Amino acid sequence: MTGGSARPRALVAGVGNIFLGDDGFGVEAARALAGRPLPDGVEVADIGIRGVHLAYRLLDGYDTLVVLDATARGGEPGTLYVIDAAEPGSRQPPDGVPLDGHRMSPDAVLALLDTLCAGTGAVPPRRTLVVGCEPATVEERIGLSPRVAAAVPEAVHLVVGLIGEPVGDEAVVRPGPHPPSPIRRAP
């Protein structure tokens, strides 16, 4: 790097399997977000099921990572969640789960990233957020269910607002026919 301070970089990564219904939420939301003008330093990537690729890409140095993914937490289908991920170095891979480049959850990707950073001296993102959507179905099929598809524009709006804002541990946005709900902490 040559003199001056580098502008913070952010990566918004859409993850999921488009052949498993609502599991493709992250990919669809990333595609919708990629069509919008974004601030300098913000990149959007359709990662799909390539978790190892995401971990290695993060070694290039990003200040913020926003992961878009289907996130089953027991809410109504289409509910959006904003989750502030654990501190770098505190994430452990799930027990008994082998490294499989096509079946890595965001937790496993972040644990792999911590391991790669420890081995290379790279620095993980300072801030990692997950914007998740409650799925209706993750059975074999192409296309999102109606309620999850309806949540994609709201998720895009949410990500645009989060790019520069700090967030608490977790927030919930309930689906509905009204304008985007304010973010509330989950109980």
Side-chain angles (χ1 to χ4, degrees):
M1 213 177 269
T2 60
S5 62
R7 180 173 205 139
R9 292 175 58 205
L11 177 64
V12 180
V15 301
N17 187 334
I18 62 168
F19 298 112
L20 294 177
D22 291 340
D23 194 52
F25 164 80
V27 171
E28 291 301 322
R31 286 180 186 162
L33 186 63
R36 293 182 56 123
L38 297 170
D40 289 341
V42 177
E43 300 171 33
V44 179
D46 171 355
I47 298 298
I49 59 172
R50 301 179 327 259
V52 172
H53 173 80
L54 175 58
Y56 276 98
R57 182 167 180 173
L58 289 168
L59 293 176
D60 289 341
Y62 291 91
D63 184 60
T64 300
L65 168 65
V66 178
V67 176
L68 296 162
D69 195 12
T71 307
R73 298 180 69 80
E76 290 292 319
T79 299
L80 296 174
Y81 306 100
V82 179
I83 303 162
D84 195 347
E87 289 292 316
S90 68
R91 301 174 282 243
Q92 299 298 318
D95 291 334
V97 176
L99 182 62
D100 178 347
H102 297 290
R103 294 177 190 254
M104 291 181 69
S105 68
D107 289 344
V109 170
L110 295 173
L112 173 60
L113 174 64
D114 287 345
T115 300
L116 293 171
C117 286
T120 63
V123 178
R126 176 185 58 80
R127 189 173 104 169
T128 300
L129 302 172
V130 176
V131 174
C133 182
E134 187 73 42
T137 180
V138 290
E139 295 175 5
E140 283 189 28
R141 64 177 258 176
I142 295 176
L144 302 177
S145 65
R147 292 186 74 185
V148 170
V152 169
E154 192 167 333
V156 167
H157 179 75
L158 187 58
V159 169
V160 168
L162 290 173
I163 295 295
E165 292 180 20
V167 173
D169 291 340
E170 183 171 344
V172 176
V173 179
R174 306 267 182 232
H178 309 291
S181 309
I183 298 173
R184 296 185 300 267
R185 283 187 179 266

